[in-house]
Amino acid sequence: MDMRKCGETKTPAAMEQTISLLRLERWKDLFLPMMKMLAPKIRACSLVTADSFFTSKLVLRLYAEHMENRTNGFDSVTLSIAHGMEYPVHRF
C-alpha cells in the first residue's frame, strides 16, 4: 500500500502507479482538475470519495456533473453521510 498526500496539482501528475482509492477533500475548486488529471491512472472498480457535497454544492457543481456523466467512466451517487459524500466507482 502506498499512500500519498498531495497538496498541489503538479505532484500527482508525476505518479507512475495506478490508483485504487482516491480521497478528495479540502480544496473543492481543485476536485475537477485533479480528477481529470488522475482519471487515466485510476484502476477499474476503484473508489473515489469526495466530501462536503451538501455544504459546497455551488463550488462542486461542475465536479458533480462530470462524475455523474457516465461517459466519463464513473457510476456515482451522493450519500447522505455527514455533509454529503460523493461516491463514484470507476467502471473501466
Side-chain angles (χ1 to χ4, degrees):
M1 174 187 233
D2 184 19
M3 291 182 69
R4 295 175 189 250
K5 182 177 179 182
C6 302
E8 57 185 70
T9 56
K10 295 176 185 170
T11 305
M15 289 175 34
E16 294 179 19
Q17 299 91 348
T18 57
I19 298 167
S20 55
L21 173 64
L22 178 62
R23 168 94 171 125
L24 299 172
E25 59 180 25
R26 295 187 189 218
W27 296 281
K28 310 294 186 230
D29 56 328
L30 293 179
F31 282 15
L32 183 56
M34 189 73 69
M35 271 310 304
K36 288 181 176 182
M37 178 178 37
L38 293 176
K41 298 174 190 255
I42 298 175
R43 289 192 220 164
C45 300
S46 294
L47 173 65
V48 176
T49 64
D51 67 355
S52 301
F53 255 69
F54 299 147
T55 56
S56 304
K57 279 186 177 180
L58 293 176
V59 175
L60 293 173
R61 183 180 56 82
L62 293 177
Y63 171 82
E65 289 174 1
H66 177 81
M67 297 308 284
E68 292 168 3
N69 183 340
R70 290 184 52 103
T71 62
N72 292 318
F74 291 88
D75 288 324
S76 187
V77 64
T78 303
L79 303 176
S80 294
I81 299 173
H83 300 288
M85 180 175 286
E86 189 71 5
Y87 192 88
V89 176
H90 195 261
R91 291 191 334 254
F92 303 116

